[in-house]
Coordinates of all heavy atoms in Angstrom, one line a residue:
M1 N 135.8 17.1 -106.3 CA 136.1 18.0 -107.4 C 136.1 17.3 -108.7 O 136.7 16.2 -108.9 CB 137.5 18.7 -107.2 CG 137.8 19.7 -108.2 SD 139.2 20.6 -107.5 CE 140.0 21.1 -108.9
A2 N 135.4 17.8 -109.7 CA 135.2 17.2 -111.0 C 136.5 17.4 -111.9 O 137.1 18.5 -111.8 CB 134.0 17.7 -111.7
D3 N 136.8 16.4 -112.6 CA 137.9 16.5 -113.6 C 137.3 17.2 -114.9 O 136.2 17.0 -115.3 CB 138.4 15.2 -114.0 CG 139.2 14.5 -112.9 OD1 139.8 15.3 -112.1 OD2 139.2 13.3 -112.9
V4 N 138.1 18.1 -115.4 CA 137.8 18.7 -116.7 C 138.4 18.0 -117.8 O 139.7 17.8 -117.8 CB 138.2 20.2 -116.7 CG1 137.9 20.8 -118.0 CG2 137.5 20.9 -115.6
I5 N 137.6 17.5 -118.8 CA 138.2 16.8 -119.9 C 138.0 17.7 -121.1 O 137.0 18.2 -121.4 CB 137.4 15.5 -120.2 CG1 137.5 14.6 -118.9 CG2 137.9 14.8 -121.4 CD1 136.6 13.4 -119.0
Q6 N 139.2 18.0 -121.8 CA 139.1 18.8 -122.9 C 139.3 18.0 -124.2 O 140.2 17.1 -124.2 CB 140.2 19.9 -122.9 CG 140.0 20.9 -121.8 CD 141.1 22.0 -121.9 OE1 142.2 21.7 -122.2 NE2 140.7 23.2 -121.5
F7 N 138.5 18.2 -125.1 CA 138.6 17.5 -126.4 C 139.2 18.4 -127.4 O 139.1 19.6 -127.4 CB 137.2 17.1 -126.9 CG 136.5 16.0 -126.0 CD1 135.6 16.4 -125.0 CD2 136.8 14.7 -126.1 CE1 135.0 15.5 -124.2 CE2 136.2 13.8 -125.3 CZ 135.3 14.2 -124.3
P8 N 140.0 17.8 -128.3 CA 140.7 18.6 -129.3 C 139.6 19.3 -130.2 O 138.5 18.7 -130.5 CB 141.5 17.6 -130.1 CG 141.2 16.2 -129.6 CD 140.3 16.4 -128.4
Q9 N 139.9 20.5 -130.6 CA 139.0 21.2 -131.5 C 139.1 20.7 -132.9 O 140.2 20.3 -133.3 CB 139.4 22.7 -131.4 CG 139.2 23.4 -130.1 CD 137.8 23.4 -129.6 OE1 136.9 23.6 -130.4 NE2 137.6 23.1 -128.3
R10 N 138.0 20.7 -133.6 CA 138.1 20.3 -135.0 C 138.9 21.2 -135.8 O 138.8 22.4 -135.7 CB 136.7 20.2 -135.6 CG 136.0 19.0 -135.3 CD 134.8 18.9 -136.2 NE 134.2 17.6 -136.0 CZ 132.9 17.3 -136.2 NH1 132.2 18.2 -136.7 NH2 132.5 16.1 -136.0
A11 N 139.7 20.7 -136.6 CA 140.5 21.5 -137.5 C 139.6 22.0 -138.7 O 138.7 21.3 -139.1 CB 141.7 20.7 -138.1
V12 N 139.8 23.1 -139.1 CA 139.1 23.6 -140.3 C 139.6 23.0 -141.5 O 140.8 23.0 -141.8 CB 139.2 25.2 -140.4 CG1 138.5 25.7 -141.6 CG2 138.7 25.9 -139.1
I13 N 138.7 22.4 -142.3 CA 139.1 21.8 -143.5 C 138.8 22.7 -144.7 O 137.7 23.2 -144.8 CB 138.3 20.4 -143.7 CG1 138.7 19.5 -142.6 CG2 138.6 19.9 -145.1 CD1 138.0 18.2 -142.7
Q14 N 139.8 23.0 -145.5 CA 139.6 23.9 -146.6 C 139.9 23.1 -147.8 O 141.0 22.5 -147.9 CB 140.6 25.1 -146.4 CG 140.4 26.1 -147.5 CD 141.4 27.3 -147.3 OE1 142.3 27.2 -146.4 NE2 141.2 28.4 -148.0
T15 N 139.1 23.3 -148.8 CA 139.3 22.6 -150.1 C 139.9 23.6 -151.1 O 139.4 24.7 -151.3 CB 138.0 22.1 -150.7 OG1 137.4 21.2 -149.7 CG2 138.2 21.4 -152.0
L16 N 141.0 23.2 -151.6 CA 141.7 24.1 -152.6 C 141.6 23.4 -153.9 O 141.8 22.2 -154.0 CB 143.2 24.3 -152.2 CG 143.4 25.0 -150.9 CD1 144.9 25.0 -150.6 CD2 142.8 26.4 -150.9
H17 N 141.4 24.2 -154.9 CA 141.3 23.6 -156.3 C 142.6 24.1 -157.1 O 142.9 25.2 -157.1 CB 140.0 24.0 -157.0 CG 138.8 23.6 -156.3 ND1 138.3 22.3 -156.5 CD2 138.1 24.1 -155.3 CE1 137.2 22.1 -155.7 NE2 137.1 23.2 -155.0
F18 N 143.2 23.1 -157.8 CA 144.4 23.4 -158.5 C 144.2 23.0 -160.0 O 143.5 22.1 -160.3 CB 145.6 22.6 -157.9 CG 146.0 23.1 -156.6 CD1 145.5 22.4 -155.4 CD2 146.8 24.1 -156.4 CE1 145.9 22.8 -154.2 CE2 147.2 24.6 -155.1 CZ 146.7 23.9 -154.0
D19 N 144.9 23.7 -160.8 CA 145.1 23.3 -162.2 C 146.5 22.7 -162.3 O 147.5 23.2 -161.9 CB 145.1 24.5 -163.1 CG 143.7 25.1 -163.3 OD1 142.7 24.4 -163.2 OD2 143.6 26.4 -163.4
E20 N 146.5 21.5 -162.9 CA 147.8 20.8 -163.1 C 148.4 21.5 -164.3 O 147.9 21.5 -165.4 CB 147.6 19.3 -163.3 CG 148.8 18.6 -163.4 CD 148.6 17.1 -163.4 OE1 147.9 16.6 -164.3 OE2 149.2 16.4 -162.5
K21 N 149.6 22.0 -164.1 CA 150.4 22.6 -165.2 C 151.3 21.7 -165.9 O 151.6 21.8 -167.1 CB 151.2 23.8 -164.6 CG 150.3 24.9 -164.0 CD 149.5 25.6 -165.0 CE 148.7 26.7 -164.5 NZ 147.8 27.3 -165.4
H22 N 151.8 20.7 -165.2 CA 152.7 19.7 -165.8 C 152.7 18.4 -164.9 O 153.0 18.6 -163.7 CB 154.1 20.3 -165.9 CG 155.1 19.4 -166.6 ND1 155.1 19.2 -167.9 CD2 156.1 18.6 -166.1 CE1 156.0 18.3 -168.3 NE2 156.7 18.0 -167.2
A23 N 152.5 17.3 -165.4 CA 152.6 16.0 -164.7 C 153.9 15.4 -165.1 O 154.2 15.2 -166.3 CB 151.4 15.1 -165.1
F24 N 154.7 15.0 -164.1 CA 156.0 14.3 -164.4 C 155.8 12.8 -164.6 O 156.0 12.4 -165.7 CB 157.0 14.6 -163.3 CG 157.4 16.1 -163.3 CD1 156.8 17.0 -162.4 CD2 158.4 16.5 -164.1 CE1 157.2 18.3 -162.4 CE2 158.8 17.8 -164.1 CZ 158.2 18.7 -163.3
S25 N 155.5 12.1 -163.6 CA 155.4 10.7 -163.7 C 154.9 10.1 -162.3 O 154.8 10.9 -161.3 CB 156.7 10.0 -164.1 OG 156.5 8.7 -164.3
E26 N 154.6 8.9 -162.3 CA 154.3 8.2 -161.1 C 155.4 7.2 -160.8 O 155.8 6.4 -161.7 CB 153.0 7.4 -161.2 CG 152.6 6.7 -160.0 CD 151.4 5.8 -160.1 OE1 150.7 5.9 -161.2 OE2 151.1 5.0 -159.2
I27 N 155.8 7.1 -159.5 CA 156.8 6.2 -159.1 C 156.4 5.6 -157.7 O 156.2 6.3 -156.8 CB 158.2 6.8 -158.9 CG1 158.7 7.3 -160.3 CG2 159.2 5.9 -158.3 CD1 160.0 8.0 -160.2
G28 N 156.2 4.3 -157.7 CA 155.8 3.6 -156.5 C 154.5 4.2 -155.8 O 154.4 4.2 -154.6
G29 N 153.6 4.5 -156.6 CA 152.3 5.0 -156.1 C 152.3 6.5 -155.8 O 151.3 7.0 -155.3
L30 N 153.4 7.2 -156.0 CA 153.5 8.6 -155.8 C 153.6 9.4 -157.1 O 154.3 9.0 -158.0 CB 154.8 9.0 -155.0 CG 154.9 8.3 -153.6 CD1 156.3 8.6 -153.0 CD2 153.8 8.8 -152.7
M31 N 152.8 10.5 -157.2 CA 152.7 11.2 -158.4 C 153.4 12.6 -158.2 O 153.1 13.3 -157.2 CB 151.3 11.4 -158.8 CG 151.0 12.2 -160.0 SD 151.6 11.3 -161.5 CE 151.2 12.4 -162.7
L32 N 154.3 13.0 -159.1 CA 154.9 14.3 -159.0 C 154.3 15.2 -160.0 O 154.2 14.8 -161.2 CB 156.4 14.1 -159.2 CG 157.3 15.3 -159.0 CD1 157.3 15.7 -157.6 CD2 158.7 15.0 -159.5
S33 N 154.0 16.4 -159.6 CA 153.2 17.3 -160.5 C 153.5 18.8 -160.2 O 153.8 19.1 -159.0 CB 151.7 17.0 -160.4 OG 151.0 17.7 -161.3
L34 N 153.3 19.6 -161.2 CA 153.3 21.1 -161.0 C 151.9 21.6 -161.0 O 151.1 21.2 -162.0 CB 154.1 21.8 -162.1 CG 155.6 21.6 -162.1 CD1 156.2 22.3 -163.3 CD2 156.2 22.2 -160.8
V35 N 151.5 22.3 -160.0 CA 150.1 22.8 -159.9 C 150.1 24.3 -159.6 O 151.1 24.8 -159.1 CB 149.3 22.0 -158.9 CG1 149.2 20.5 -159.2 CG2 149.8 22.2 -157.5
Q36 N 148.9 24.9 -159.9 CA 148.7 26.3 -159.6 C 147.3 26.4 -159.1 O 146.4 25.8 -159.7 CB 149.0 27.2 -160.8 CG 149.0 28.7 -160.5 CD 149.4 29.5 -161.7 OE1 149.1 29.2 -162.8 NE2 150.1 30.6 -161.4
E37 N 147.0 27.3 -158.1 CA 145.7 27.5 -157.6 C 144.8 27.9 -158.8 O 145.1 28.7 -159.6 CB 145.7 28.6 -156.6 CG 144.3 28.8 -155.9 CD 144.3 29.9 -154.9 OE1 145.4 30.4 -154.5 OE2 143.3 30.3 -154.5
Q38 N 143.6 27.2 -158.9 CA 142.7 27.3 -160.0 C 142.2 28.8 -160.0 O 141.7 29.3 -159.0 CB 141.6 26.4 -159.8 CG 140.7 26.2 -161.0 CD 139.7 25.1 -160.8 OE1 139.0 25.0 -159.7 NE2 139.6 24.2 -161.7
G39 N 142.2 29.4 -161.2 CA 141.7 30.7 -161.4 C 142.5 31.8 -160.9 O 142.1 33.0 -160.9
N40 N 143.7 31.6 -160.4 CA 144.6 32.6 -159.9 C 146.0 32.5 -160.6 O 146.9 31.9 -160.1 CB 144.7 32.4 -158.4 CG 145.5 33.6 -157.7 OD1 146.0 34.5 -158.4 ND2 145.6 33.5 -156.4
E41 N 146.1 33.3 -161.6 CA 147.3 33.3 -162.4 C 148.5 33.9 -161.6 O 149.6 33.7 -162.0 CB 147.1 34.0 -163.7 CG 146.2 33.2 -164.7 CD 146.7 31.9 -165.0 OE1 147.9 31.7 -165.3 OE2 145.9 30.9 -165.0
N42 N 148.2 34.6 -160.6 CA 149.3 35.2 -159.7 C 149.7 34.3 -158.6 O 150.7 34.7 -157.9 CB 148.8 36.6 -159.2 CG 148.6 37.6 -160.3 OD1 149.3 37.7 -161.2 ND2 147.5 38.4 -160.1
A43 N 149.1 33.2 -158.5 CA 149.5 32.2 -157.4 C 150.8 31.6 -157.8 O 151.1 31.4 -159.0 CB 148.4 31.2 -157.2
P44 N 151.6 31.2 -156.8 CA 152.8 30.5 -157.2 C 152.6 29.1 -157.8 O 151.5 28.5 -157.7 CB 153.5 30.3 -155.8 CG 152.5 30.6 -154.8 CD 151.4 31.3 -155.4
I45 N 153.5 28.7 -158.6 CA 153.5 27.4 -159.2 C 154.2 26.5 -158.2 O 155.3 26.8 -157.7 CB 154.3 27.4 -160.6 CG1 153.6 28.3 -161.6 CG2 154.4 26.0 -161.1 CD1 154.4 28.6 -162.8
S46 N 153.5 25.4 -157.9 CA 154.0 24.5 -156.8 C 154.3 23.1 -157.3 O 153.6 22.6 -158.1 CB 152.9 24.4 -155.7 OG 152.6 25.7 -155.2
L47 N 155.4 22.7 -156.8 CA 155.9 21.3 -157.1 C 155.3 20.5 -155.9 O 155.6 20.7 -154.8 CB 157.4 21.2 -157.1 CG 158.0 19.8 -157.4 CD1 157.6 19.3 -158.7 CD2 159.5 19.9 -157.3
V48 N 154.4 19.5 -156.2 CA 153.8 18.7 -155.2 C 154.0 17.2 -155.5 O 154.1 16.8 -156.6 CB 152.3 19.0 -155.1 CG1 152.0 20.5 -154.7 CG2 151.5 18.7 -156.4
L49 N 153.9 16.5 -154.4 CA 154.0 15.0 -154.4 C 152.6 14.5 -153.9 O 152.2 14.9 -152.8 CB 155.1 14.5 -153.5 CG 155.5 13.1 -153.6 CD1 156.0 12.7 -155.0 CD2 156.6 12.7 -152.6
L50 N 152.0 13.7 -154.7 CA 150.6 13.2 -154.4 C 150.7 11.7 -154.1 O 151.4 11.0 -154.8 CB 149.6 13.5 -155.5 CG 149.6 15.0 -156.0 CD1 148.8 15.1 -157.3 CD2 148.9 15.8 -154.9
G51 N 150.0 11.3 -153.1 CA 149.9 9.9 -152.7 C 150.5 9.6 -151.4 O 150.9 10.6 -150.6
G52 N 150.6 8.4 -151.0 CA 151.2 8.0 -149.7 C 150.2 8.3 -148.6 O 149.0 8.5 -148.8
V53 N 150.7 8.3 -147.4 CA 149.8 8.4 -146.2 C 149.2 9.8 -146.1 O 148.0 10.0 -145.9 CB 150.6 8.1 -144.9 CG1 149.7 8.3 -143.7 CG2 151.1 6.7 -144.9
G54 N 150.0 10.8 -146.3 CA 149.5 12.2 -146.2 C 148.7 12.7 -147.4 O 147.9 13.6 -147.2
G55 N 149.0 12.1 -148.5 CA 148.2 12.5 -149.7 C 148.7 13.6 -150.5 O 148.7 13.6 -151.7
F56 N 149.2 14.7 -149.9 CA 149.6 15.9 -150.6 C 150.7 16.5 -149.9 O 150.6 16.9 -148.7 CB 148.4 16.9 -150.6 CG 148.6 18.2 -151.3 CD1 148.3 18.2 -152.7 CD2 149.1 19.3 -150.7 CE1 148.6 19.4 -153.4 CE2 149.4 20.5 -151.4 CZ 149.1 20.5 -152.7
F57 N 151.9 16.6 -150.6 CA 153.1 17.2 -150.0 C 153.6 18.3 -150.9 O 153.9 18.1 -152.0 CB 154.2 16.2 -149.8 CG 153.8 15.1 -148.9 CD1 153.3 13.9 -149.4 CD2 154.0 15.2 -147.5 CE1 153.0 12.8 -148.6 CE2 153.6 14.1 -146.7 CZ 153.1 13.0 -147.2
L58 N 153.6 19.6 -150.4 CA 154.1 20.7 -151.1 C 155.7 20.6 -150.9 O 156.2 20.7 -149.8 CB 153.6 22.0 -150.5 CG 154.2 23.3 -151.1 CD1 153.9 23.4 -152.5 CD2 153.7 24.5 -150.3
L59 N 156.4 20.5 -152.0 CA 157.8 20.4 -152.0 C 158.5 21.7 -152.2 O 159.5 22.0 -151.5 CB 158.3 19.4 -153.1 CG 157.8 18.0 -153.0 CD1 158.3 17.1 -154.1 CD2 158.2 17.4 -151.6
E60 N 158.0 22.6 -153.1 CA 158.6 23.9 -153.4 C 157.6 24.7 -154.2 O 156.8 24.2 -154.9 CB 159.9 23.7 -154.2 CG 160.8 24.9 -154.3 CD 161.3 25.4 -153.0 OE1 162.0 24.7 -152.3 OE2 161.0 26.6 -152.7
S61 N 157.8 26.0 -154.0 CA 156.9 27.0 -154.8 C 157.8 27.8 -155.7 O 159.0 28.2 -155.3 CB 156.1 27.8 -153.9 OG 155.2 27.1 -153.2
F62 N 157.3 28.3 -156.8 CA 158.1 29.1 -157.7 C 157.2 30.2 -158.2 O 156.0 30.2 -158.2 CB 158.4 28.2 -159.0 CG 159.3 27.0 -158.6 CD1 158.7 25.8 -158.2 CD2 160.7 27.1 -158.7 CE1 159.5 24.7 -157.9 CE2 161.5 26.0 -158.3 CZ 160.9 24.8 -157.9
E63 N 157.9 31.3 -158.6 CA 157.2 32.5 -159.1 C 156.3 32.1 -160.3 O 156.7 31.3 -161.2 CB 158.2 33.5 -159.5 CG 159.0 34.1 -158.4 CD 158.2 34.9 -157.4 OE1 157.2 35.6 -157.9 OE2 158.4 34.8 -156.2
P64 N 155.2 32.8 -160.5 CA 154.3 32.5 -161.6 C 154.7 33.2 -162.8 O 153.9 34.0 -163.4 CB 152.9 33.0 -161.1 CG 153.2 34.1 -160.1 CD 154.6 33.7 -159.5
T65 N 155.9 33.0 -163.3 CA 156.4 33.6 -164.5 C 156.9 32.5 -165.4 O 157.1 31.4 -165.0 CB 157.6 34.6 -164.1 OG1 158.7 33.8 -163.5 CG2 157.2 35.7 -163.2
P66 N 157.2 32.8 -166.7 CA 157.8 31.8 -167.6 C 159.1 31.2 -167.0 O 159.4 30.0 -167.1 CB 158.0 32.5 -168.9 CG 156.9 33.6 -168.9 CD 156.8 34.0 -167.4
E67 N 159.9 32.1 -166.4 CA 161.2 31.7 -165.9 C 161.0 30.8 -164.7 O 161.7 29.8 -164.5 CB 162.1 32.9 -165.5 CG 162.5 33.7 -166.6 CD 161.4 34.8 -167.1 OE1 160.4 34.9 -166.3 OE2 161.6 35.4 -168.1
G68 N 160.0 31.2 -163.8 CA 159.6 30.3 -162.7 C 159.1 29.0 -163.1 O 159.5 28.0 -162.4
F69 N 158.3 28.9 -164.1 CA 157.8 27.7 -164.6 C 158.9 26.8 -165.1 O 159.0 25.6 -164.8 CB 156.8 27.9 -165.7 CG 156.1 26.6 -166.2 CD1 155.3 25.9 -165.4 CD2 156.4 26.2 -167.5 CE1 154.7 24.7 -165.9 CE2 155.9 25.0 -168.0 CZ 155.0 24.3 -167.2
E70 N 159.9 27.3 -165.8 CA 161.0 26.6 -166.3 C 161.9 26.0 -165.1 O 162.3 24.9 -165.2 CB 161.9 27.4 -167.3 CG 161.2 27.6 -168.6 CD 160.8 26.3 -169.3 OE1 161.7 25.4 -169.4 OE2 159.7 26.2 -169.8
S71 N 162.1 26.9 -164.1 CA 162.8 26.5 -162.9 C 162.1 25.3 -162.2 O 162.7 24.4 -161.8 CB 163.0 27.6 -162.0 OG 163.8 28.6 -162.5
A72 N 160.8 25.4 -162.2 CA 159.9 24.4 -161.5 C 160.1 23.1 -162.3 O 160.2 22.0 -161.7 CB 158.5 24.8 -161.5
K73 N 160.1 23.1 -163.6 CA 160.2 21.9 -164.4 C 161.6 21.3 -164.2 O 161.7 20.0 -164.1 CB 160.0 22.2 -165.9 CG 158.5 22.4 -166.2 CD 158.2 22.8 -167.7 CE 158.8 21.9 -168.7 NZ 158.5 22.3 -170.1
I74 N 162.6 22.1 -164.1 CA 164.0 21.5 -163.9 C 164.0 20.9 -162.5 O 164.5 19.8 -162.3 CB 165.0 22.6 -164.0 CG1 165.1 23.1 -165.4 CG2 166.4 22.2 -163.4 CD1 165.9 24.4 -165.6
A75 N 163.4 21.6 -161.5 CA 163.4 21.0 -160.1 C 162.6 19.7 -160.1 O 163.0 18.7 -159.4 CB 162.8 22.0 -159.1
G76 N 161.5 19.7 -160.8 CA 160.7 18.5 -160.9 C 161.5 17.3 -161.5 O 161.4 16.2 -161.1
D77 N 162.2 17.6 -162.6 CA 163.0 16.5 -163.3 C 164.0 16.0 -162.3 O 164.2 14.8 -162.2 CB 163.7 17.1 -164.5 CG 162.7 17.3 -165.7 OD1 161.6 16.7 -165.7 OD2 163.0 18.1 -166.5
I78 N 164.7 16.8 -161.6 CA 165.7 16.4 -160.6 C 165.1 15.6 -159.5 O 165.6 14.5 -159.1 CB 166.5 17.6 -160.0 CG1 167.3 18.3 -161.1 CG2 167.3 17.2 -158.9 CD1 167.9 19.6 -160.8
T79 N 163.9 16.1 -159.0 CA 163.2 15.3 -157.9 C 162.7 14.0 -158.4 O 162.8 13.0 -157.7 CB 162.0 16.2 -157.4 OG1 162.5 17.5 -157.0 CG2 161.3 15.5 -156.3
L80 N 162.3 13.9 -159.6 CA 161.8 12.7 -160.2 C 162.9 11.6 -160.3 O 162.8 10.5 -159.9 CB 161.2 12.9 -161.6 CG 160.6 11.7 -162.3 CD1 159.4 11.2 -161.5 CD2 160.1 12.0 -163.7
R81 N 164.1 12.1 -160.7 CA 165.3 11.2 -160.8 C 165.6 10.7 -159.4 O 165.9 9.5 -159.2 CB 166.4 11.9 -161.4 CG 166.3 12.0 -162.9 CD 167.5 12.5 -163.6 NE 167.1 13.6 -164.4 CZ 167.7 14.8 -164.6 NH1 168.9 14.9 -164.0 NH2 167.3 15.7 -165.3
A82 N 165.6 11.6 -158.4 CA 165.9 11.2 -157.0 C 164.9 10.2 -156.5 O 165.3 9.2 -155.8 CB 166.0 12.4 -156.1
L83 N 163.6 10.4 -156.8 CA 162.6 9.4 -156.4 C 162.8 8.1 -157.0 O 162.6 7.0 -156.4 CB 161.2 10.0 -156.7 CG 160.6 11.1 -155.8 CD1 159.4 11.6 -156.4 CD2 160.4 10.6 -154.4
A84 N 163.2 8.1 -158.3 CA 163.4 6.8 -159.0 C 164.5 6.0 -158.4 O 164.4 4.8 -158.2 CB 163.6 7.1 -160.5
V85 N 165.6 6.7 -158.1 CA 166.8 6.0 -157.5 C 166.4 5.5 -156.1 O 166.7 4.4 -155.8 CB 168.0 7.0 -157.4 CG1 169.1 6.4 -156.5 CG2 168.5 7.3 -158.8
G86 N 165.7 6.3 -155.3 CA 165.3 5.9 -154.0 C 164.3 4.7 -154.1 O 164.5 3.8 -153.3
H87 N 163.4 4.8 -155.0 CA 162.4 3.7 -155.2 C 163.1 2.4 -155.6 O 162.8 1.3 -155.0 CB 161.4 4.0 -156.2 CG 160.3 3.0 -156.3 ND1 160.4 2.0 -157.3 CD2 159.2 2.7 -155.6 CE1 159.4 1.2 -157.2 NE2 158.7 1.6 -156.2
D88 N 164.1 2.5 -156.5 CA 164.8 1.3 -156.9 C 165.6 0.7 -155.7 O 165.6 -0.5 -155.6 CB 165.8 1.6 -158.0 CG 165.1 1.8 -159.4 OD1 163.9 1.5 -159.5 OD2 165.7 2.3 -160.3
N89 N 166.2 1.5 -154.9 CA 167.0 1.0 -153.8 C 166.1 0.4 -152.7 O 166.4 -0.6 -152.1 CB 167.8 2.2 -153.1 CG 169.0 2.6 -154.0 OD1 169.4 1.8 -154.8 ND2 169.4 3.8 -153.9
W90 N 164.9 1.0 -152.5 CA 164.0 0.5 -151.4 C 163.3 -0.8 -151.9 O 163.0 -1.6 -151.0 CB 162.9 1.5 -151.1 CG 163.4 2.7 -150.4 CD1 164.4 2.8 -149.5 CD2 163.0 4.1 -150.6 NE1 164.7 4.1 -149.1 CE2 163.8 4.9 -149.7 CE3 162.0 4.7 -151.4 CZ2 163.6 6.3 -149.7 CZ3 161.9 6.1 -151.3 CH2 162.7 6.8 -150.5
S91 N 163.1 -0.9 -153.2 CA 162.4 -2.1 -153.6 C 163.2 -3.3 -153.8 O 162.8 -4.4 -154.1 CB 161.6 -1.8 -154.9 OG 162.5 -1.4 -155.9
E92 N 164.6 -3.2 -153.7 CA 165.5 -4.3 -153.8 C 165.5 -5.2 -152.6 O 165.3 -4.8 -151.5 CB 166.9 -3.8 -154.1 CG 167.0 -3.3 -155.5 CD 168.4 -2.8 -155.8 OE1 169.3 -2.8 -154.9 OE2 168.6 -2.4 -157.0

């Protein structure tokens, strides 16, 4: 009787295009930024971390309103401070 070997199916790769709404800073090769799907003003504003092994990490999404944008900036500032403290502790 023959063995059946199953190979993993290829994952579908989808390219998404974003407009950067606000860049915070780079810490230890990681970039923190607010982005929104390009050409879609109704898309959520997303706080993302770029870099590292995975390349793209969605941290949180916010409503596409002025209030949502302000909340996203506050969350980004807090996240940036946490990353800075963590980076200082890890690099010692």
Side-chain angles (χ1 to χ4, degrees):
M1 184 165 148
D3 290 332
V4 175
I5 300 173
Q6 292 184 328
F7 293 95
Q9 299 294 321
R10 275 194 176 158
V12 176
I13 296 175
Q14 183 179 12
T15 301
L16 300 174
H17 297 276
F18 293 97
D19 288 326
E20 186 172 55
K21 299 295 184 180
H22 184 76
F24 290 95
S25 186
E26 178 188 353
I27 294 179
L30 300 174
M31 179 72 178
L32 187 64
S33 188
L34 290 177
V35 299
Q36 187 175 36
E37 185 180 348
Q38 195 173 46
N40 186 356
E41 293 300 316
N42 294 322
I45 297 167
S46 300
L47 179 62
V48 296
L49 190 62
L50 305 167
V53 176
F56 182 90
F57 299 96
L58 174 64
L59 300 177
E60 190 63 59
S61 293
F62 300 86
E63 293 293 323
T65 62
E67 295 83 10
F69 182 70
E70 288 305 312
S71 295
K73 284 175 53 177
I74 291 168
D77 286 337
I78 293 167
T79 304
L80 184 63
R81 284 186 234 143
L83 284 171
V85 169
H87 181 264
D88 286 347
N89 289 336
W90 293 322
S91 61
E92 287 181 355

